[in-house]
Amino acid sequence: MLQPSSKSKRAPAAGADVTGRAWLMLALATAGFALNFWAWALLSPLAPRLKDSLHLSSFQQSLLVAVPVVVGSLGRVPVGALTDRFGGRVMFPLVSAATIVPVLHLGLAGHSSLAALLVGGLFLGIGGTSFAVGVPFVSAWFPPERRGLAIGVFGAGMGGTAISALTTVKLVDAHGTANPFLITAAALAVYAAVAALLLRDAPGRTVPTEPLTRRLAATFTLGITWQASTLYAVAFGGYVAFSVYLPTYLKTGYDLTQADAANRMAGFVLLAVAMRPVGGWLSDRVGPVRVLDGALALVVAGALAQSFTPALAPVGTLAFLVMAAALGAGSGAVFALVALLAPANKVGSVTGVVGAAGGLGGFLPPLVMGALYGAYGSYAVGLVLLALVSVAALAYTATGVRRGVARVPVGRPN
């Protein structure tokens, strides 16, 4: 059962007023999220080149880009719970500094073999856990009626994957393989220092006193944890899957160059990023359920259209852009739902579990797409599966989730 918490326990500020410091903290958190996601996505643009140079199979190539995703996803569960306890002021610099190590490994020594790449990718997943730090940190700074927009703006930091897509291949071509990794490591180091100096947790932040294991166990009993996890696995999982696999899909399915495929993936990412705060803003006004209904319906339409492998211009491009906008808005709506319904002292724990579900939702599709293409020489079946999963999520949203949100006290949209 969904368990909405008392507003009086959740809002650090009176009414709908938002202080200048809250906006500053949001900006710093978003920057940190973007930089860590930039690091998290470094392997994806290079995957086609690594496949050729290391003679990888389609499955090995998919595994290479999927490993950071699954590690970053599972790591969000403990990192979210630790953020509830220690706050974003501690966790953001810590996660950013820890991500520097695998970035340097991959850039300096870890790109010469599949085994070394997988080890580096395993620890590169640390960067993906930053999402579970930022949501509870930002949520605590904003009143309930502004959290959809605030968390949506923070979520736009997932555009760090677009930075990687637009720059990695060009930097490698111009200056060698190590270059993008060294630049990313330097950016993370600067951010870790700035965050340690400037970040502050919200006044009156609720700090849990229960042990970590007990808090995690309690989190799994909340209805919002499971409902939001299911929806985020589809919405954000779909975004992650496309952001890591789209260069391979476009290069294989449409014979595009690596640079062209990476640029088109960046366009997909940027649109999804832009739509995430829009999804949160709309959720503040019309309710997250309505936003999710519309977003999932558009994903179904886009996936079915693309399953026929139409010409890239204009139908294929339009199908991908529709899905990008819908997945971005849907991701923003899911965390508007979390901000609405999660207890204040468990926002980090809930975020960790939901974020893990979203990342895991992005882990499986690249593997499935690679395996299906290897078996049938077509991506059509994988896209039809995406449409079917989205139909199931749409039905779930329109029934079970809608009934749960209807229990929220009067005054909040549903």
Side-chain angles (χ1 to χ4, degrees), residues 284-312:
D284 284 341
R285 282 151 181 78
V286 304
V289 170
R290 291 191 182 100
V291 177
L292 283 164
D293 284 344
L296 291 167
L298 289 174
V299 173
V300 172
L304 288 177
Q306 189 58 33
S307 69
F308 293 97
T309 317
L312 201 53

Side-chain angles (χ1 to χ4, degrees), residues 383-395:
L383 287 159
V384 170
L385 288 174
L386 171 61
L388 292 174
V389 169
S390 300
V391 167
L394 177 58

Side-chain angles (χ1 to χ4, degrees), residues 36 59 85 133 213 323 337 386:
N36 278 279
F59 180 81
R85 177 63 181 85
V133 178
T213 53
M323 286 191 286
L337 191 69
L386 171 61

Side-chain angles (χ1 to χ4, degrees), residues 33-397:
F33 181 34
L35 288 173
N36 278 279
F37 254 43
W38 175 13
W40 194 38
L42 280 170
L43 289 179
S44 176
L46 296 176
R49 175 173 300 191
L50 292 169
K51 178 184 180 182
D52 294 338
S53 64
L54 298 177
H55 307 292
L56 305 179
S57 68
S58 294
F59 180 81
Q60 287 173 325
Q61 180 186 4
S62 300
L63 184 64
L64 176 64
V65 298
V67 164
V69 173
V70 71
V71 174
S73 303
L74 293 175
R76 291 174 188 175
V77 178
V79 168
L82 288 170
T83 302
D84 279 338
R85 177 63 181 85
F86 297 106
R89 182 183 182 183
V90 171
M91 295 300 296
F92 249 128
L94 184 62
V95 167
S96 300
T99 305
I100 294 172
V101 177
V103 169
L104 290 177
H105 162 76
L106 288 166
L108 298 176
H111 54 266
S112 58
S113 71
L114 177 62
L117 284 165
L118 291 176
V119 170
L122 185 73
F123 290 98
L124 194 63
I126 295 171
T129 68
S130 59
F131 180 73
V133 178
V135 171
F137 176 79
V138 169
S139 181
W141 272 104
F142 286 80
E145 55 269 35
R146 304 293 293 276
R147 285 179 186 160
L149 173 62
I151 295 175
V153 170
F154 168 75
M158 67 187 189
T161 56
I163 300 174
S164 181
L166 289 170
T167 63
T168 302
V169 174
K170 294 175 182 177
L171 288 171
V172 168
D173 288 340
H175 305 289
T177 302
N179 195 53
F181 295 91
L182 294 175
I183 291 173
T184 307
L188 286 169
V190 170
Y191 177 76
V194 170
L197 290 173
L198 298 182
L199 281 184
R200 296 292 184 272
D201 290 312
R205 183 179 72 88
T206 304
V207 179
T209 57
E210 297 175 309
L212 175 64
T213 53
R214 186 177 299 173
R215 283 188 285 121
L216 285 174
T219 299
F220 283 105
T221 67
L222 297 173
I224 180 58
T225 302
W226 296 105
Q227 298 208 12
S229 292
T230 300
L231 297 173
Y232 204 57
V234 178
F236 186 71
Y239 161 79
V240 170
F242 278 120
S243 68
V244 300
Y245 198 72
L246 197 55
T248 300
Y249 176 95
L250 293 172
K251 186 174 184 295
T252 305
Y254 288 94
D255 200 28
L256 299 186
T257 65
Q258 182 182 354
D260 192 10
N263 287 338
R264 289 174 185 268
M265 185 272 271
F268 179 97
V269 168
L270 288 172
L271 180 56
V273 167
M275 288 302 296
R276 184 155 182 159
V278 173
W281 176 78
L282 285 172
S283 297
D284 284 341
R285 282 151 181 78
V286 304
V289 170
R290 291 191 182 100
V291 177
L292 283 164
D293 284 344
L296 291 167
L298 289 174
V299 173
V300 172
L304 288 177
Q306 189 58 33
S307 69
F308 293 97
T309 317
L312 201 53
V315 177
T317 298
L318 181 61
F320 278 118
L321 291 179
V322 166
M323 286 191 286
L327 292 169
S331 297
V334 170
F335 274 94
L337 191 69
V338 171
L340 176 67
L341 298 169
N345 63 348
K346 292 186 174 65
V347 172
S349 299
V350 173
T351 296
V353 176
V354 175
L360 290 174
F363 170 74
L364 185 60
L367 298 180
V368 172
M369 294 289 274
L372 288 173
Y373 187 84
Y376 301 107
S378 171
Y379 292 113
V381 176
L383 287 159
V384 170
L385 288 174
L386 171 61
L388 292 174
V389 169
S390 300
V391 167
L394 177 58
Y396 182 50
T397 302

